[in-house]
Amino acid sequence: MNPDNSTLRLRRILVPLDASAHSRAALEAAIQLAEAMGAEISGLYVEDTDLLELCRYPFAREIGMFPTGCRRLETTDLERDFRVQAETIHRMMAMLAEKSAIHWSFMVRRGRVATEILSLATSTDLIVMGRMGRSMAGAPLGSTASRLIENGRGMALLLKEGLRLRAPVLTLYTGSALSRRAVEMAGRLARAAGGAMEVLIPASDSAQWESLRDAVLSATAADPDMEGVRIVFRRIQTNVAAALVTILLAEYRQPIVLPVDAIDGDAEAIRRLLNRIDNPVLLVQ
Amino acid sequence: MTVQRLPATAVYHACDIEALSFDTTSQIAPLESLSNAMGQPRAVDSLQFGTGMRRTGFNIFVLGPSGTGRHSLVRQILGEKAKSSPTPSDWCYVNNFENPGQPKALELPPGQGKAMAADMKKMITEVRSTLKASFESEAYQNRIQSVQQTFKEQQQEAFKEVSEKAKAKQLVLIRTPQGLALAPMKADGEIMPPDEFQQLPEVQRKEIEEKIEEIEEESRRMFQKIPQWQKEIGEKLEALNIEVAKYAITPLIDAMRAKYGQTQKISAHMDAVEKDILANLPLLMTSGEHGGEPPSLKQGVLGAEASEMASPALRRYRVNPVVDHSQQTGAPVVFEDNPTYANLVGKVEHMSQMGVLMTDFNLVKAGALHRANGGALVLDARKVLTHPGAWEGLKRALKSEQIKIESLAEMFSLLSTVMLEPEPIPLEVKVVMIGSAYIYYLLQDYDPEFEQLFKIAADFDVEMPRDENSENLYARLLRTIIERERLLHFDRGAVGRIIEESARMAGDAERLSTKIRDISDLMVEADVWARKDALATVGRSHVQQAVDARIFRSDRVRQRIQEEIRRGTLLIDVEGGMAGQVNGLAVIQLGRFTFGWPHRITARIQMGKGELIDIERESKLGGPLHSKGVLILSGFLGARYAREHPLALKASLVFEQSYGMVEGDSASSTELYALLSAISGIPIQQGLAVTGSVNQFGQIQAIGGVNEKIEGFFDVCRNKGLNGRQGVLIPAANVKHLMLRADVVAAIREERFHVYPVTTVDEGMTLLTGMPAGEPDEHHRYPEDTVNGQIQLKLTAMAEKMKKFSQPAPQGGPSESGQ
């Protein structure tokens, strides 16, 4: 993906899927986007080799949820479970995708989940996935999502179960190249959701605020894909992370397009931020 | 002791039109009520007493023949009573939420039932929209979210705890497709590959395995808690829903309570409605206008009502106003024309849903008893008795003083589908059954409950006394009918003629018929004739025309009989004399038309042992009354003529050319005359016909149908030619019944035809034979030149002969032995 490319186009959206409710939310959002932007969707199911590896332990056992109890973890059982899950997901995708006239495909790969997703990330414009997969880390942010942030490449939309893409779409403009991209992306999302875009501008004084705002206005005016999108500006304090937490906790359903460079610090800082909010987040990095 | 022929004035009691106080009926006032003049003081009194009596069992049975104005009178008296009575309550059926099979009945002040039903319908619509608004509100959504969030956090917390514990023990918790698994962790946090694990020393491996077991146990315990949490969360959500819903609907239900909750029962029902709405929120919110069915099916002929059938959630709160008195002032008077069981006690209808018959309290339909409750119900007794179950159902309701809707089909196990048992409604009604006397006495004899339930009998008479006063009153009755039927006015002569015809209908010159319907029909017909003549008033001739036309329409059979007598097919002599043969008179009724039919009655005798053979009886064509009449004859005969010796004859009696049943004793005097003539050999004048029954002392007794009988013989004589000597002998007791046809009266006036009132057999024999009957001396002997003397001689001679026959033959008689 080339951040300098002046017009932003989404051609391929990757949706890594497992059987969780979060990933279904991700798929629905991806379809919504693909429809609005004419993109193609690739569904991906990864047969986790870590799990297969586990079977080789002499004590490998699975603690079942329904019904509660332990059973011996066997490679053959696990492989069958994978097939069943892949089949279920394929069906779900077919059902959802065929309601709209988009191009879609579904693939099954074997490997480590994060590795497989990252390897495909290079050939996609956007990754849409559930924030929390089936990971048991206990954290609001799933392990694969964390790896994506750490990896720091490509755009990724992270969604939580039950929250759909809806307007207004929030974004952040600092004047950086990434944040310009974020504005473009937010505009498209807002259009897809059929509503307004709200641009948050961290500024220490009015001069900075005005210049940044004018920059957004002139950039959007020149962009044909943003026609008809209403723009609202809001000035926020320069400590972006803290400001975002305050705003987003209040407006927990609003999706936000977040240029990573707006957050000071490393991947860990972004993860901390994401752990505190529930909103769908589109990371621009 | 000669019998005088009756003068023309005695055979037709004409109405004295000079005594009528008007020229045409327009000058008199109609009766303010039909009751006064209809000659039914007894019935009026009973009805008034019965309607005023507010106690169980004082229901009324109106008995009398149809056409006597029973319905009009009942309608009038009940109507008067109802006007001054209070309007009874409305009744509604509502759902019984605890037991939907037994709908509850609610009593409301008159006129409020329908209003409550409409308000309830509106309220449910409002409840739905209010609920929808509440549950879609942001505030509610946020609360739901927060409750659900708690659950998720609880879960996450638990996972986190286990996960951390695992981490502390150098283990990784991994999600598998069906649950969790544990693996040892390397120093960098990654899963230790199994190969690496195998290379660990035995002790360490054992340690790791123990740790894993520990954590597994922990995880299992955690999983076991999840269902409990889910249950708790469900309860919390439900409590929240109820709280929100209650807040939304309570004001609406309170408004209904304030408007209708006068009685404890209604407010209890409103409580139940509130409780049920709260318990069935999802049902109420999801059902409704956008049901699965296509609109065309729902909005057919039944319209909006039918569309609601599709949503049981809405139907369950509705109010079904079965008894509505919103248009009523005073108490109701209900005439049920079709008193089937279901029409009386009400019914529960069914509707087909997906091929299954379903029902609920909305399909409870009121019966006549419901509608008449608090007032009066008028029924036709015969119809009630002929509809299956109707009489029993009516009695049960009256006895228990409540209306309980049960289905007949259910009673007989003919239908097996969902049935309802609606709560019984208390009943206070005056039932008036109208029927014939026959039905009344049948019920009284065979139904022990009848007497308890119908304590008042209103007995209608078919006739009323005729005098100057009543004739004037009758004229006012005619005026009332004129108003009712919108007829032309009748002049004095026409009124007189109707009064005369009414007496003829009553079959009695001293009585008037109270069969209002017949009189009214006659007047309508007379009106038609007057209008044909383009006259403004109906005259006597029009009434006569109507009477004649009526007879003409129905006298085909009579005409035919007369014709056959004239042609000699049916043998009747009207001239000359003949022994043992007398003209008798029978009466035939065809529908409403009655006419006389002369019959030849003959007697033949031979020697015998005092037997009297009634051929009709032997051939099983004689009824018991007829046989009784004949048996009386032998009593008379023996007592009068055979005191000293046995009756040594055998006689046979017959109605000649009679091919059907002969019943009644009105020909017994005729038969006696034939018999006496046969014994004595004295011919009977065939120009005379006879009617009257006779007793064992030879007295002639009254009979029925005297007018028709005389007219029947008159027609025969006229057809064959009147000779001035022909006539009819009638019992003297029947003279007061004479209301003969105008042409007969004219012939009598001109002495071309005669009617003789006879009191004894001797009078009759004298007239028939032209010979004195004769009086007995102290030895019971009659002079020889009298009828009785001749009879006595003949009978004595027969007895003597009989005696000779019964004596043994003389010794060594001149028969065979001499040769």
Side-chain angles (χ1 to χ4, degrees), chain B residues 210-242:
Chain B
E210 273 167 15
K211 281 188 205 160
I212 283 182
E213 262 171 50
E214 211 177 298
I215 300 294
E216 273 176 359
E217 188 53 37
E218 193 92 17
S219 314
R220 230 177 23 232
R221 273 206 296 276
M222 180 192 74
F223 278 157
Q224 276 164 353
K225 280 189 215 155
I226 293 178
Q228 177 62 28
W229 293 341
Q230 273 171 335
K231 201 178 143 214
E232 279 168 18
I233 219 75
E235 281 165 6
K236 264 190 197 161
L237 283 177
E238 194 167 327
L240 174 65
N241 285 346
I242 285 179

Side-chain angles (χ1 to χ4, degrees), chain B residues 8-51:
Chain B
T9 49
V11 296
Y12 189 81
H13 183 52
C15 175
D16 179 9
I17 57 171
E18 297 307 321
L20 295 176
S21 57
F22 55 88
D23 291 328
T24 74
T25 46
S26 62
Q27 294 162 351
I28 45 171
L31 296 167
E32 55 280 6
S33 66
L34 287 175
S35 55
N36 299 342
M38 284 196 301
Q40 310 290 3
R42 186 178 290 107
V44 171
D45 200 57
S46 301
L47 276 171
Q48 260 156 0
F49 174 71
T51 45

